[in-house]
Amino acid sequence: MPIPRFAFTTKFNKRVNVLDNEVGISEPCDLKTTKPHPDVVQFKAIWDTGASCSCISQNVLESLNLPEIDRVTNNTANGSRKAGVYLVNIYLPNKVVFQGVRVIDAKLLDTDILIGMDIINQGDFAITHKKGNTWMTFQIPSSHNIDFVEEIERENAKLKAKKARKKSSKKKF
């Protein structure tokens, strides 16, 4: 039986330096067994491949009244600080959901959630910039490797074979 896959794509109508979208956050629960489901609150999120874990702002903490479950040392470019650890469910676009995610509180600028590698490395994440428009896409679980070198070599081999066929067909006349 095939494993169900989930995915979403966020399209920007220009080239962007910050990958963001709206995501939902709720108290942690098992969505299969918990009824009714907890309220999901929408927040702006930024995707950060340089962050090892996902983070939430004070605004998220206050909105959901989340209990701290642990404290850790958070090492950032600005130095080390003690941070609270919280459990949440994260609802990405198009019903891509992560349950019981450990997140830490952080001082975030211009966003309430930072999606880190703890989420990104659970699936496939790609960014493209065709025609000056940035697209980011994410799927879970991972289904295949993306290798631009291999793709280009295949395309070049096809072009070379096509040129060779064309050249040999001209010699027959």
Side-chain angles (χ1 to χ4, degrees):
M1 177 176 227
I3 296 172
R5 291 178 21 206
F6 301 92
F8 73 88
T9 299
T10 300
K11 300 175 183 180
F12 302 91
N13 293 324
K14 61 182 180 178
R15 188 176 300 264
V16 299
N17 293 327
V18 177
L19 303 171
D20 64 10
N21 55 15
E22 292 290 314
V23 305
I25 298 286
S26 79
E27 298 171 7
C29 73
D30 182 339
L31 295 172
K32 291 180 182 174
T33 61
T34 305
K35 302 291 183 209
H37 293 163
D39 291 335
V40 178
V41 181
Q42 296 293 314
F43 297 96
K44 179 182 174 187
I46 289 177
W47 292 70
D48 186 350
T49 60
S52 59
C53 67
S54 295
C55 304
I56 56 175
S57 70
Q58 189 65 35
N59 183 37
V60 175
L61 289 173
E62 291 170 3
S63 296
L64 297 174
N65 196 27
L66 296 168
E68 184 176 292
I69 62 164
D70 197 2
R71 291 199 64 74
V72 296
T73 300
N74 180 24
N75 298 307
T76 71
N78 295 325
S80 297
R81 67 178 272 280
K82 287 290 186 185
V85 178
Y86 305 85
L87 281 180
V88 297
N89 283 4
I90 299 178
Y91 304 79
L92 302 176
N94 203 28
K95 301 179 182 173
V96 178
V97 181
F98 290 86
Q99 299 179 74
V101 178
R102 288 175 60 97
V103 297
I104 63 171
D105 65 68
K107 294 177 183 175
L108 303 174
L109 299 175
D110 301 323
T111 193
D112 282 306
I113 301 167
L114 187 139
I115 303 293
M117 287 303 295
D118 58 328
I119 297 293
I120 297 169
N121 72 14
Q122 299 300 306
D124 295 327
F125 180 67
I127 306 163
T128 61
H129 303 284
K130 187 175 180 183
K131 296 183 180 178
N133 298 312
T134 300
W135 290 17
M136 74 170 183
T137 191
F138 179 79
Q139 74 167 354
I140 185 169
S142 180
S143 67
H144 61 280
N145 292 318
I146 299 169
D147 184 337
F148 294 126
V149 172
E150 185 179 294
E151 187 178 314
I152 290 168
E153 287 173 352
R154 268 194 317 267
E155 289 174 10
N156 287 342
K158 285 180 186 177
L159 284 173
K160 190 174 181 179
K162 186 177 179 180
K163 284 181 182 179
R165 282 192 307 271
K166 197 173 189 179
K167 190 175 182 180
S168 88
S169 69
K170 285 183 179 179
K171 287 183 179 179
K172 292 179 183 176
F173 296 110

